[in-house]
Amino acid sequence: MAGEMKKQRASWSGKWAFILAAAASAVGLGNMWRFPYLAAKYGGGTFLLTYVVLVFTFGVSLLLLETALGRKTGQSAIGAFKAFGKKYAFIGILASAVPFIITPYYCIIGGWVTKYTAAYLVNGPEALADGGDFFTGFITSNAESYIWMLVFMAIVFVIVGLGVKGGIEKANLFMMPALIIMAVAIAIYTLTMPGAVEGALYYLTPDFSKFSPELVIGALGQMFYSLSLAMGIMITYGSYMRKQDSLTSSVVRIGGFDLGVSFIAGLLIVSAAFVAMGSGDAVAAKAGPSLMFVTLPTVFVDMGGMATFIGFLFFLLVLFAALTSAISLVETLVSIVHDGLQCTRAKALGIVIAFVVIAGAIINAGYNGLSFIEPLGAGSSILDFADFISNSVLMPIVALLTCVFVGWIVKPKTIIDEVRISSKFSAAGAWTIMIKYIAPVLVIIILVAYVAAQFGFFSM
């Protein structure tokens, strides 16, 4: 039966299909609202330089490990670790828990973006630029927020339901180029606004006085989450890779795609927010949803006749980024269920849909019917708790266990041999040092810093 299931396993049509899919997974909401905030907070160019170094050392090393592990075993996370012995399956189970926690709340935020994309056409830019009342009223609503969550989920489920080649590849082939074109176009237009050039200079010019351990930890965390590491996605996507496609060149290009979109998003958003607030410190004070759903609409409304068009185009850009990441999350869940239960792909998708919709409804209720539940203290929500457990706790633990597993148990040569099937891999020695010694230390730093920050012992 296992052999029969393996024969039926989907595969990418080629190397670029994998690169585009993995890059689409990496490019998500974190690029759009977290990266610009961190760049503004930590001296613009100084943060950018640090981020570049980390992406092309730590980031691509872990990307290579996960994709090679997936390709070698032809399995999603649980099966991939279990292939080396049943006692290692627990690492795959922890890795698989991450997308099961993230996907429902990611779809809720995707629903917010979908609502705002439509609202620029239906309500107009003035209605959205009211200082946050529109946003608060929407997310706390007892019906509308659920409807838009379900709309976003439906789009994702349909695309994943069409399969790896018929759905995911085709969607990414359209959305990724469109995303990049829209981001560049809006960034260029934004730079024509009074004060935007000063924002761009602030963003691009290194301020080395801002270099600090906090900056490095912030860049590490952003890179870690942005590249879809330690959540089973890259193992799953690697399992669909053909043996003849180069792993080394693929992961470098994925890192480059993610870095490029982050850079453009930062240029766009920091410049635009600079217009509204006038300083880097003011921009840095706004993070996450408030930057995107409250601050930026006040920028767009001042664009006069172009306000509706630019606002709509921007949120369409963010919607595409959210969709590409949500597709990879749902596909990973389907692959985990498909491999674990040895069932048909259609049945696996049905199980995933039921889980994501129910869990999404419960988490979304944290803003209305269950708003009295504040798991991380006053003002926190169920979504905040799910985000903390998945991103700040589970993901670093999974990455640490994965590095120890490959570096010290099955040995780096296992992965190096897989990589060399299709690549020369002259950097195998440096990669081994990274996985065995450097990466585990960096991951422990991320874990300690984020948990300490959550409980007020450290400022992020």
Side-chain angles (χ1 to χ4, degrees):
M1 180 66 175
E4 182 188 334
M5 292 303 293
K6 194 158 184 175
K7 284 179 193 173
Q8 295 172 358
R9 193 167 191 81
S11 66
W12 304 114
S13 58
K15 180 176 78 172
W16 276 100
F18 163 69
I19 292 169
L20 206 57
S25 172
V27 173
L29 291 169
N31 302 72
M32 298 297 162
W33 73 30
R34 196 165 183 272
F35 185 90
Y37 151 73
L38 288 171
K41 182 176 181 180
Y42 293 117
T46 310
F47 180 83
L48 292 178
L49 288 173
T50 306
Y51 191 75
V52 169
V53 171
L54 289 173
V55 165
F56 290 111
T57 52
F58 179 64
V60 296
S61 294
L62 284 179
L63 269 178
L64 185 65
L65 186 161
E66 292 194 12
T67 51
L69 186 62
R71 192 178 77 171
K72 180 177 179 62
T73 59
Q75 292 284 310
S76 53
I78 298 173
F81 286 99
K82 194 176 178 181
F84 297 92
K86 286 185 178 180
K87 60 185 175 182
Y88 302 121
F90 80 97
I91 305 174
I93 292 169
L94 285 175
S96 300
V98 176
F100 272 98
I101 296 170
I102 290 177
T103 306
Y105 79 73
Y106 200 92
C107 288
I108 292 169
I109 301 170
W112 301 350
V113 177
T114 312
K115 163 67 177 178
Y116 265 61
T117 307
Y120 267 92
L121 301 179
V122 177
N123 303 88
E126 292 81 10
L128 280 65
D130 64 355
D133 291 343
F134 184 92
F135 178 62
T136 303
F138 166 63
I139 66 170
T140 57
S141 63
N142 287 318
E144 196 181 11
S145 59
Y146 293 88
I147 292 169
W148 286 102
M149 175 192 78
L150 292 171
V151 168
F152 181 84
M153 286 179 177
I155 299 169
V156 175
F157 295 148
V158 168
I159 292 170
V160 173
L162 291 171
V164 172
K165 290 179 182 174
I168 299 171
E169 279 192 21
K170 287 183 177 178
N172 289 333
L173 192 61
F174 168 71
M175 284 193 284
M176 281 301 288
L179 186 154
I180 293 166
I181 291 167
M182 284 190 290
V184 171
I186 300 171
I188 292 171
Y189 181 81
T190 301
L191 289 173
T192 65
M193 298 178 66
V197 172
E198 287 83 352
L201 289 173
Y202 174 84
Y203 174 66
L204 296 171
T205 306
D207 178 0
F208 293 109
S209 68
K210 294 281 183 79
F211 189 82
S212 64
E214 289 85 356
L215 181 153
V216 176
I217 292 167
L220 262 176
Q222 173 63 20
M223 178 276 311
F224 189 72
Y225 310 133
S226 185
L227 289 176
S228 298
L229 298 170
M231 57 177 79
I233 291 175
M234 290 305 164
I235 295 176
T236 298
Y237 275 18
S239 75
Y240 300 151
M241 277 191 83
R242 305 180 306 178
K243 290 290 187 181
Q244 68 264 36
D245 293 332
S246 170
L247 281 161
T248 51
S249 63
S250 295
V251 297
V252 169
R253 286 174 178 139
I254 293 163
F257 261 112
D258 179 68
L259 180 64
V261 174
S262 293
F263 173 80
I264 297 168
L267 182 64
L268 187 172
I269 292 173
V270 173
S271 301
F274 221 88
V275 172
M277 292 178 281
S279 75
D281 291 337
V283 177
K286 300 286 184 180
S290 67
L291 176 62
M292 182 169 294
F293 297 105
V294 179
T295 303
L296 287 179
T298 64
V299 177
F300 297 145
V301 79
D302 291 332
M303 292 183 176
M306 291 293 287
T308 300
F309 177 71
I310 295 296
F312 168 75
L313 202 63
F314 172 77
F315 278 99
L316 185 63
L317 153 71
V318 180
L319 175 59
F320 281 3
L323 282 170
T324 54
S325 288
I327 288 165
S328 68
L329 284 163
V330 171
E331 174 59 30
T332 299
L333 298 187
V334 171
S335 183
I336 291 166
V337 174
H338 177 58
D339 291 344
L341 298 182
Q342 300 279 289
C343 62
T344 64
R345 183 179 167 86
K347 184 177 179 181
L349 178 60
I351 293 169
V352 168
I353 290 172
F355 170 80
V356 173
V357 170
I358 293 168
I362 293 169
I363 294 171
N364 194 49
Y367 290 103
N368 37 76
L370 298 178
S371 60
F372 60 89
I373 299 175
E374 299 177 319
L376 296 176
S380 67
S381 65
I382 300 174
L383 190 152
D384 295 326
F385 180 70
D387 182 62
F388 171 69
I389 292 296
S390 57
N391 282 287
S392 300
V393 179
L394 275 179
M395 284 169 62
I397 289 173
V398 169
L400 178 62
L401 290 172
T402 303
C403 289
V404 171
F405 174 74
V406 171
W408 298 94
I409 298 174
V410 301
K411 307 300 183 188
K413 189 176 183 299
T414 306
I415 298 298
I416 292 168
D417 289 346
E418 178 64 30
V419 174
R420 282 181 170 158
I421 292 173
S422 55
S423 313
K424 189 178 176 184
F425 200 22
S426 55
W431 178 83
T432 300
I433 292 170
M434 173 61 75
I435 296 304
K436 288 186 75 170
Y437 304 106
I438 302 172
V441 173
L442 293 178
V443 170
I444 290 170
I445 290 170
I446 293 172
L447 176 61
V448 172
Y450 275 79
V451 172
Q454 179 60 53
F455 293 101
F457 299 116
F458 182 80
S459 175
M460 287 295 297

